């Protein structure tokens, strides 16, 4: 019985396409304290996605605020 090796490899373009299509979020919070005194606090949120993907999810969670309508122009 022969052993068959199956290798499913993806090109870099396939990986980038998938990341941009689905999106990736990295959320980190770092706090450095010494004897109960906070010396440093870092909060970071990194989002990697295509603009279309980001707009779709931002609208779904309410991050986008509706633009204020300009007052109508007066007709003379």
């Amino acid at each position: 019985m022969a052993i068959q090796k199956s290798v499913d490899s993806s090109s870099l373009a396939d990986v980038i396409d998938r990341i941009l299509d689905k999106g990736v979020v990295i959320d980190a919070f770092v706090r450095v304290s010494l004897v109960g005194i906070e010396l440093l606090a870092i909060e970071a949120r990194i989002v990697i996605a295509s603009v279309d993907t980001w707009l779709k999810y931002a609208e779904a969670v309410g991050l986008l605020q509706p633009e204020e309508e300009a007052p109508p122009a007066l007709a003379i």
Side-chain angles (χ1 to χ4, degrees):
M1 175 181 255
I3 298 175
Q4 295 180 352
K5 185 176 180 182
S6 173
V7 177
D8 291 334
S9 62
S10 298
S11 69
L12 181 60
D14 292 337
V15 172
I16 291 173
D17 184 49
R18 175 163 283 200
I19 288 173
L20 291 177
D21 183 42
K22 300 296 181 184
V24 175
V25 176
I26 301 170
D27 199 2
F29 182 77
V30 177
R31 182 182 303 172
V32 178
S33 299
L34 181 65
V35 191
I37 300 171
E38 187 174 308
L39 300 174
L40 177 67
I42 300 172
E43 189 171 340
R45 177 169 288 163
I46 301 168
V47 178
I48 302 171
S50 68
V51 173
D52 290 335
T53 302
W54 185 85
L55 287 173
K56 180 174 66 173
Y57 289 113
E59 184 178 19
V61 297
L63 289 176
L64 300 177
Q65 300 296 326
E67 293 183 21
E68 294 182 23
E69 293 184 16
L74 295 175
I76 299 179

